Every structure is written in C-alpha cells, then in structure tokens.
Amino acid sequence: MDRLRSNDPFAPPETSKIVVAPRPWLSLAVSALGVLATGWVLGVGVALIVFGLFLGFQTVTVRIVFGAEAFEVWQYRRRVVSFPYNEWLSWRVFWPGVPILFYFREVYSPHFIPMLFSHRQLVAGLQKFLPPAVQRR
C-alpha cells in the first residue's frame, strides 16, 4: 500500500490532482435522526446513532482522491483501493439536491459509497478525469 509523506495522519497524497473535501452532514443527519427515533423505537434510534457515529469516523479518516490514472480511497495515509478510470462504465449521485449516496459501476463490480465528501468537488473530478464514453447519470 502507498504511504503518504505528511505528518498529518489523514492527509491526502501530495501527488494527487484533486482531493475531495470531507463533509460531516450525512453523519450528523443520521445521528440526529437516531436521537429523534429513540422516542419511538429505542433499538432503531440507538442503531441509527451508532451508524451515524461510524459515518462520522469515516468522514474524519477517509479521503477520496482523483489521481492521474485512478479514483482512489485513502485512509490513515494509506491507499486502501484504486479504481482505474478506464474500467468505469457509469456513475450516479442519488438525490443530487440532498446527496446521500454515490454509485459507480466498473467492469468488475458496482460500488456504493455514502456521500461523506463534497458533492460539487466529486462531480467536478468525475467530469474532469473520466473518459467521455462513461455514462454520466
């Protein structure tokens, strides 16, 4: 796995073209919904709060990076996974007005990623780095 040179444990790689800024809104909304739900069904509320905290942790530690050749997911200064642009078939952001989920399909499998980062930067990076043949929906 690649390591980053920065002292910041969550810093993106220095060679990246675009690093998508993290946004905590989804994790905060899920946690708030969990707090409200505890009044109706305690188990559902607690589950939503725990899931919101998990999303918050991911927001703090995970970075999305548009490299020269691939879309990369970094965590703790390590590249976790890389998705080469030439293997992408399509992508979509669900509920663009209030984006909550990012979907993309590559040759080998589909992927769903919660929107823990800037929607505008994500779409700008996709439009900049993906081949024109990739369907943008």
Side-chain angles (χ1 to χ4, degrees), residues 24-35 37-38 42-60 100-101 112-116:
W25 306 119
L26 180 61
S27 60
L28 293 174
V30 170
S31 296
L33 185 61
V35 169
T38 57
L42 181 62
V44 172
V46 170
L48 284 172
I49 291 169
V50 169
F51 184 58
L53 292 172
F54 169 75
L55 290 175
F57 175 75
Q58 294 293 65
T59 301
V60 171
I100 62 165
L101 191 64
F112 292 91
I113 300 174
M115 289 296 292
L116 304 176

Tab-separated table of all heavy atoms in Angstrom, residues 24-35 37-38 42-60 100-101 112-116:
chain	number	residue	atom	x	y	z
A	24	PRO	N	-19.273	16.508	6.987
A	24	PRO	CA	-19.886	15.697	8.041
A	24	PRO	C	-21.419	15.678	8.032
A	24	PRO	O	-22.022	15.067	8.898
A	24	PRO	CB	-19.388	16.388	9.320
A	24	PRO	CG	-19.296	17.819	8.922
A	24	PRO	CD	-18.818	17.797	7.478
A	25	TRP	N	-22.068	16.296	7.065
A	25	TRP	CA	-23.514	16.480	7.129
A	25	TRP	C	-24.294	15.177	7.158
A	25	TRP	O	-25.279	15.074	7.894
A	25	TRP	CB	-23.997	17.366	5.981
A	25	TRP	CG	-23.260	18.657	5.944
A	25	TRP	CD1	-22.480	19.120	4.919
A	25	TRP	CD2	-23.162	19.637	6.979
A	25	TRP	NE1	-21.917	20.331	5.263
A	25	TRP	CE2	-22.316	20.666	6.528
A	25	TRP	CE3	-23.693	19.738	8.254
A	25	TRP	CZ2	-22.011	21.775	7.300
A	25	TRP	CZ3	-23.386	20.842	9.021
A	25	TRP	CH2	-22.562	21.848	8.536
A	26	LEU	N	-23.904	14.183	6.404
A	26	LEU	CA	-24.651	12.922	6.386
A	26	LEU	C	-24.575	12.235	7.740
A	26	LEU	O	-25.592	11.778	8.269
A	26	LEU	CB	-24.131	11.998	5.278
A	26	LEU	CG	-24.847	10.651	5.158
A	26	LEU	CD1	-26.322	10.848	4.835
A	26	LEU	CD2	-24.185	9.790	4.096
A	27	SER	N	-23.386	12.167	8.319
A	27	SER	CA	-23.249	11.505	9.620
A	27	SER	C	-24.018	12.256	10.707
A	27	SER	O	-24.639	11.639	11.584
A	27	SER	CB	-21.778	11.354	10.001
A	27	SER	OG	-21.151	12.613	10.092
A	28	LEU	N	-23.994	13.575	10.650
A	28	LEU	CA	-24.748	14.365	11.633
A	28	LEU	C	-26.253	14.159	11.465
A	28	LEU	O	-26.982	14.050	12.455
A	28	LEU	CB	-24.397	15.847	11.504
A	28	LEU	CG	-22.965	16.225	11.896
A	28	LEU	CD1	-22.695	17.689	11.573
A	28	LEU	CD2	-22.710	15.940	13.361
A	29	ALA	N	-26.721	14.103	10.230
A	29	ALA	CA	-28.154	13.903	9.974
A	29	ALA	C	-28.613	12.525	10.452
A	29	ALA	O	-29.687	12.402	11.060
A	29	ALA	CB	-28.449	14.073	8.491
A	30	VAL	N	-27.812	11.491	10.200
A	30	VAL	CA	-28.174	10.146	10.641
A	30	VAL	C	-28.198	10.080	12.163
A	30	VAL	O	-29.109	9.494	12.764
A	30	VAL	CB	-27.207	9.089	10.052
A	30	VAL	CG1	-27.410	7.727	10.691
A	30	VAL	CG2	-27.388	8.992	8.545
A	31	SER	N	-27.212	10.693	12.809
A	31	SER	CA	-27.180	10.713	14.273
A	31	SER	C	-28.382	11.469	14.835
A	31	SER	O	-29.004	11.025	15.816
A	31	SER	CB	-25.888	11.351	14.772
A	31	SER	OG	-24.781	10.568	14.391
A	32	ALA	N	-28.724	12.609	14.256
A	32	ALA	CA	-29.885	13.382	14.716
A	32	ALA	C	-31.177	12.595	14.526
A	32	ALA	O	-32.055	12.590	15.405
A	32	ALA	CB	-29.958	14.709	13.971
A	33	LEU	N	-31.284	11.900	13.409
A	33	LEU	CA	-32.455	11.058	13.172
A	33	LEU	C	-32.525	9.950	14.219
A	33	LEU	O	-33.606	9.604	14.704
A	33	LEU	CB	-32.397	10.467	11.760
A	33	LEU	CG	-33.586	9.659	11.298
A	33	LEU	CD1	-34.843	10.523	11.294
A	33	LEU	CD2	-33.322	9.102	9.914
A	34	GLY	N	-31.365	9.425	14.597
A	34	GLY	CA	-31.321	8.401	15.642
A	34	GLY	C	-31.791	8.929	16.976
A	34	GLY	O	-32.525	8.247	17.709
A	35	VAL	N	-31.389	10.145	17.313
A	35	VAL	CA	-31.827	10.753	18.575
A	35	VAL	C	-33.345	10.916	18.567
A	35	VAL	O	-34.024	10.610	19.557
A	35	VAL	CB	-31.115	12.110	18.800
A	35	VAL	CG1	-31.749	12.865	19.946
A	35	VAL	CG2	-29.634	11.889	19.047
A	37	ALA	N	-35.474	9.158	16.783
A	37	ALA	CA	-36.104	7.836	16.721
A	37	ALA	C	-36.115	7.126	18.069
A	37	ALA	O	-36.945	6.231	18.285
A	37	ALA	CB	-35.399	6.973	15.674
A	38	THR	N	-35.215	7.485	18.971
A	38	THR	CA	-35.209	6.814	20.283
A	38	THR	C	-36.512	7.041	21.039
A	38	THR	O	-36.888	6.225	21.877
A	38	THR	CB	-34.010	7.276	21.153
A	38	THR	OG1	-34.065	8.685	21.310
A	38	THR	CG2	-32.695	6.842	20.560
A	42	LEU	N	-36.632	2.514	20.665
A	42	LEU	CA	-35.303	2.687	21.244
A	42	LEU	C	-34.221	1.961	20.445
A	42	LEU	O	-33.169	2.542	20.142
A	42	LEU	CB	-35.287	2.201	22.697
A	42	LEU	CG	-33.959	2.355	23.433
A	42	LEU	CD1	-33.567	3.827	23.539
A	42	LEU	CD2	-34.040	1.719	24.805
A	43	GLY	N	-34.461	0.735	20.048
A	43	GLY	CA	-33.461	-0.054	19.315
A	43	GLY	C	-33.098	0.563	17.979
A	43	GLY	O	-31.924	0.622	17.600
A	44	VAL	N	-34.103	1.064	17.258
A	44	VAL	CA	-33.853	1.707	15.964
A	44	VAL	C	-33.067	2.994	16.170
A	44	VAL	O	-32.111	3.284	15.440
A	44	VAL	CB	-35.177	1.986	15.223
A	44	VAL	CG1	-34.942	2.821	13.980
A	44	VAL	CG2	-35.871	0.681	14.862
A	45	GLY	N	-33.438	3.764	17.176
A	45	GLY	CA	-32.737	5.011	17.454
A	45	GLY	C	-31.273	4.780	17.804
A	45	GLY	O	-30.388	5.464	17.286
A	46	VAL	N	-31.014	3.816	18.665
A	46	VAL	CA	-29.631	3.511	19.049
A	46	VAL	C	-28.838	3.023	17.832
A	46	VAL	O	-27.682	3.414	17.638
A	46	VAL	CB	-29.600	2.475	20.198
A	46	VAL	CG1	-28.184	1.970	20.442
A	46	VAL	CG2	-30.178	3.090	21.469
A	47	ALA	N	-29.455	2.180	17.008
A	47	ALA	CA	-28.773	1.686	15.803
A	47	ALA	C	-28.413	2.849	14.870
A	47	ALA	O	-27.304	2.884	14.314
A	47	ALA	CB	-29.643	0.668	15.074
A	48	LEU	N	-29.329	3.789	14.701
A	48	LEU	CA	-29.045	4.947	13.850
A	48	LEU	C	-27.950	5.834	14.444
A	48	LEU	O	-27.100	6.344	13.714
A	48	LEU	CB	-30.316	5.768	13.623
A	48	LEU	CG	-31.319	5.176	12.635
A	48	LEU	CD1	-32.614	5.967	12.643
A	48	LEU	CD2	-30.734	5.118	11.243
A	49	ILE	N	-27.954	5.993	15.749
A	49	ILE	CA	-26.898	6.790	16.391
A	49	ILE	C	-25.541	6.129	16.194
A	49	ILE	O	-24.559	6.791	15.840
A	49	ILE	CB	-27.208	6.997	17.889
A	49	ILE	CG1	-28.413	7.921	18.051
A	49	ILE	CG2	-25.993	7.565	18.616
A	49	ILE	CD1	-28.964	7.986	19.461
A	50	VAL	N	-25.469	4.829	16.390
A	50	VAL	CA	-24.203	4.103	16.200
A	50	VAL	C	-23.753	4.193	14.747
A	50	VAL	O	-22.573	4.436	14.460
A	50	VAL	CB	-24.340	2.633	16.656
A	50	VAL	CG1	-23.141	1.806	16.233
A	50	VAL	CG2	-24.537	2.568	18.169
A	51	PHE	N	-24.683	4.037	13.809
A	51	PHE	CA	-24.340	4.153	12.390
A	51	PHE	C	-23.867	5.570	12.067
A	51	PHE	O	-22.903	5.761	11.325
A	51	PHE	CB	-25.532	3.761	11.514
A	51	PHE	CG	-25.229	3.752	10.047
A	51	PHE	CD1	-24.223	2.963	9.524
A	51	PHE	CD2	-25.947	4.563	9.178
A	51	PHE	CE1	-23.935	2.961	8.164
A	51	PHE	CE2	-25.679	4.570	7.826
A	51	PHE	CZ	-24.661	3.762	7.314
A	52	GLY	N	-24.514	6.583	12.630
A	52	GLY	CA	-24.090	7.970	12.429
A	52	GLY	C	-22.687	8.214	12.960
A	52	GLY	O	-21.886	8.908	12.334
A	53	LEU	N	-22.368	7.645	14.127
A	53	LEU	CA	-21.018	7.769	14.679
A	53	LEU	C	-19.990	7.074	13.785
A	53	LEU	O	-18.886	7.588	13.570
A	53	LEU	CB	-20.969	7.203	16.101
A	53	LEU	CG	-21.742	8.001	17.150
A	53	LEU	CD1	-21.779	7.255	18.478
A	53	LEU	CD2	-21.140	9.381	17.323
A	54	PHE	N	-20.353	5.911	13.251
A	54	PHE	CA	-19.468	5.208	12.314
A	54	PHE	C	-19.214	6.065	11.073
A	54	PHE	O	-18.070	6.211	10.631
A	54	PHE	CB	-20.076	3.863	11.916
A	54	PHE	CG	-19.376	3.207	10.770
A	54	PHE	CD1	-18.140	2.599	10.945
A	54	PHE	CD2	-19.946	3.198	9.497
A	54	PHE	CE1	-17.483	2.002	9.879
A	54	PHE	CE2	-19.297	2.609	8.433
A	54	PHE	CZ	-18.058	2.011	8.627
A	55	LEU	N	-20.270	6.652	10.517
A	55	LEU	CA	-20.104	7.523	9.355
A	55	LEU	C	-19.247	8.743	9.703
A	55	LEU	O	-18.433	9.193	8.890
A	55	LEU	CB	-21.466	7.973	8.812
A	55	LEU	CG	-22.308	6.898	8.136
A	55	LEU	CD1	-23.678	7.465	7.750
A	55	LEU	CD2	-21.616	6.313	6.929
A	56	GLY	N	-19.413	9.271	10.898
A	56	GLY	CA	-18.589	10.391	11.335
A	56	GLY	C	-17.119	10.014	11.417
A	56	GLY	O	-16.242	10.777	10.996
A	57	PHE	N	-16.835	8.832	11.939
A	57	PHE	CA	-15.457	8.343	11.995
A	57	PHE	C	-14.884	8.205	10.592
A	57	PHE	O	-13.746	8.606	10.320
A	57	PHE	CB	-15.421	6.995	12.733
A	57	PHE	CG	-14.071	6.350	12.732
A	57	PHE	CD1	-13.064	6.819	13.554
A	57	PHE	CD2	-13.812	5.274	11.899
A	57	PHE	CE1	-11.812	6.226	13.556
A	57	PHE	CE2	-12.570	4.678	11.887
A	57	PHE	CZ	-11.563	5.158	12.713
A	58	GLN	N	-15.668	7.666	9.674
A	58	GLN	CA	-15.219	7.512	8.287
A	58	GLN	C	-14.981	8.877	7.647
A	58	GLN	O	-14.035	9.057	6.890
A	58	GLN	CB	-16.234	6.723	7.468
A	58	GLN	CG	-16.388	5.285	7.895
A	58	GLN	CD	-15.145	4.460	7.628
A	58	GLN	OE1	-14.088	4.680	8.195
A	58	GLN	NE2	-15.283	3.499	6.758
A	59	THR	N	-15.826	9.848	7.955
A	59	THR	CA	-15.664	11.196	7.411
A	59	THR	C	-14.326	11.797	7.833
A	59	THR	O	-13.658	12.468	7.047
A	59	THR	CB	-16.815	12.115	7.874
A	59	THR	OG1	-18.050	11.561	7.450
A	59	THR	CG2	-16.672	13.509	7.305
A	60	VAL	N	-13.932	11.536	9.048
A	60	VAL	CA	-12.687	12.090	9.569
A	60	VAL	C	-11.466	11.366	9.007
A	60	VAL	O	-10.431	11.982	8.761
A	60	VAL	CB	-12.684	12.023	11.118
A	60	VAL	CG1	-11.331	12.374	11.682
A	60	VAL	CG2	-13.746	12.942	11.684
A	100	ILE	N	-26.876	11.711	-0.840
A	100	ILE	CA	-26.604	10.801	0.269
A	100	ILE	C	-25.798	9.575	-0.154
A	100	ILE	O	-25.192	8.931	0.683
A	100	ILE	CB	-27.903	10.332	0.955
A	100	ILE	CG1	-28.785	9.557	-0.013
A	100	ILE	CG2	-28.642	11.494	1.567
A	100	ILE	CD1	-29.884	8.777	0.656
A	101	LEU	N	-25.788	9.259	-1.457
A	101	LEU	CA	-25.133	8.036	-1.900
A	101	LEU	C	-24.510	8.231	-3.278
A	101	LEU	O	-25.141	8.803	-4.172
A	101	LEU	CB	-26.155	6.895	-1.957
A	101	LEU	CG	-25.639	5.488	-2.156
A	101	LEU	CD1	-24.764	5.055	-0.973
A	101	LEU	CD2	-26.803	4.522	-2.297
A	112	PHE	N	-21.099	1.287	-4.012
A	112	PHE	CA	-21.922	2.308	-3.370
A	112	PHE	C	-21.098	2.924	-2.249
A	112	PHE	O	-20.552	2.213	-1.412
A	112	PHE	CB	-23.199	1.699	-2.784
A	112	PHE	CG	-24.153	1.197	-3.815
A	112	PHE	CD1	-24.087	-0.112	-4.260
A	112	PHE	CD2	-25.125	2.034	-4.348
A	112	PHE	CE1	-24.973	-0.588	-5.217
A	112	PHE	CE2	-26.005	1.567	-5.308
A	112	PHE	CZ	-25.932	0.253	-5.739
A	113	ILE	N	-21.015	4.254	-2.238
A	113	ILE	CA	-20.237	4.959	-1.225
A	113	ILE	C	-21.125	6.059	-0.633
A	113	ILE	O	-21.698	6.858	-1.377
A	113	ILE	CB	-18.970	5.593	-1.842
A	113	ILE	CG1	-18.086	4.516	-2.472
A	113	ILE	CG2	-18.203	6.375	-0.791
A	113	ILE	CD1	-16.891	5.073	-3.223
A	114	PRO	N	-21.247	6.105	0.707
A	114	PRO	CA	-22.025	7.205	1.299
A	114	PRO	C	-21.356	8.540	0.992
A	114	PRO	O	-20.139	8.638	0.904
A	114	PRO	CB	-22.000	6.918	2.797
A	114	PRO	CG	-21.195	5.705	3.003
A	114	PRO	CD	-20.694	5.213	1.698
A	115	MET	N	-22.163	9.579	0.820
A	115	MET	CA	-21.645	10.911	0.483
A	115	MET	C	-21.082	11.590	1.725
A	115	MET	O	-21.739	12.413	2.356
A	115	MET	CB	-22.741	11.767	-0.140
A	115	MET	CG	-23.129	11.348	-1.531
A	115	MET	SD	-21.818	11.523	-2.742
A	115	MET	CE	-21.673	13.279	-2.836
A	116	LEU	N	-19.849	11.255	2.059
A	116	LEU	CA	-19.167	11.831	3.214
A	116	LEU	C	-18.215	12.934	2.780
A	116	LEU	O	-17.315	13.307	3.515
A	116	LEU	CB	-18.388	10.727	3.952
A	116	LEU	CG	-19.204	9.527	4.403
A	116	LEU	CD1	-18.295	8.476	5.022
A	116	LEU	CD2	-20.295	9.948	5.367
